[in-house]
Amino acid sequence: MAETWHVSKLDVDIHYIDDIPIIEAKGECDLITSKKLKEAADNLLETGRNKIIFDLRNMVYIDSAGFRILLDTKNRATEKGGDIVLVSLTEPVDRAFKLLRLDELIIRAETIEEAINHLKSIA
């Protein structure tokens, strides 16, 4: 009997609105694919971007590796006077987010506009 293996996939795109980077993540973020998310966040932080939006409306799965990257990015952005905002969490991602009590640590917004307004309010 042949076995079928599922290989997770994560696409990460970066675009800007009002000079604020938006990392759009689509797919599954796990131990292997989370490297793409980390590279995108690291590159932005290393180039002086300390206010970052993560658009997660098309992320269907995230594990502890992905959440660790979000927390690390938040901590590094905060140290530089900025912050991150998560936008449009899907139900499975939102459920894990709340279960881990990350909603007490990371700001969430329903829309990109709401996230931009929050980040612009930071001095």
Side-chain angles (χ1 to χ4, degrees):
M1 181 161 95
E3 290 186 41
T4 302
W5 291 84
H6 172 77
V7 178
S8 54
K9 181 178 180 187
L10 181 68
D11 293 319
V12 176
D13 296 311
I14 301 173
H15 60 278
Y16 296 81
I17 297 179
D18 292 344
D19 204 35
I20 294 176
I22 301 167
I23 298 175
E24 185 177 350
K26 301 174 193 171
E28 300 173 74
C29 187
D30 59 22
L31 181 61
I32 295 168
T33 62
S34 64
K35 293 174 186 172
K36 288 182 181 179
L37 192 64
K38 179 174 176 27
E39 286 174 6
D42 286 351
N43 288 338
L44 290 170
L45 290 167
E46 289 167 9
T47 58
R49 304 287 183 167
N50 63 358
K51 298 175 183 179
I52 302 170
I53 295 170
F54 287 85
D55 181 352
L56 305 179
R57 78 180 106 193
N58 294 308
M59 184 178 288
V60 296
Y61 174 81
I62 187 170
D63 70 5
S64 60
F67 283 124
R68 186 171 42 251
I69 289 165
L70 294 174
L71 284 171
D72 179 58
T73 303
K74 186 214 178 10
N75 290 337
R76 292 172 59 202
T78 303
E79 287 172 2
K80 296 178 179 204
D83 203 353
I84 70 166
V85 179
L86 307 183
V87 176
S88 301
L89 280 67
T90 60
E91 183 186 340
V93 173
D94 184 54
R95 188 173 41 245
F97 190 77
K98 288 177 181 174
L99 182 66
L100 296 170
R101 296 183 166 262
L102 295 177
D103 52 339
E104 298 172 10
L105 302 173
I106 300 176
I107 295 170
R108 296 172 36 179
E110 293 300 317
T111 65
I112 297 289
E113 294 78 22
E114 184 182 329
I116 289 170
N117 289 335
H118 169 74
L119 292 175
K120 283 184 173 181
S121 72
I122 298 172

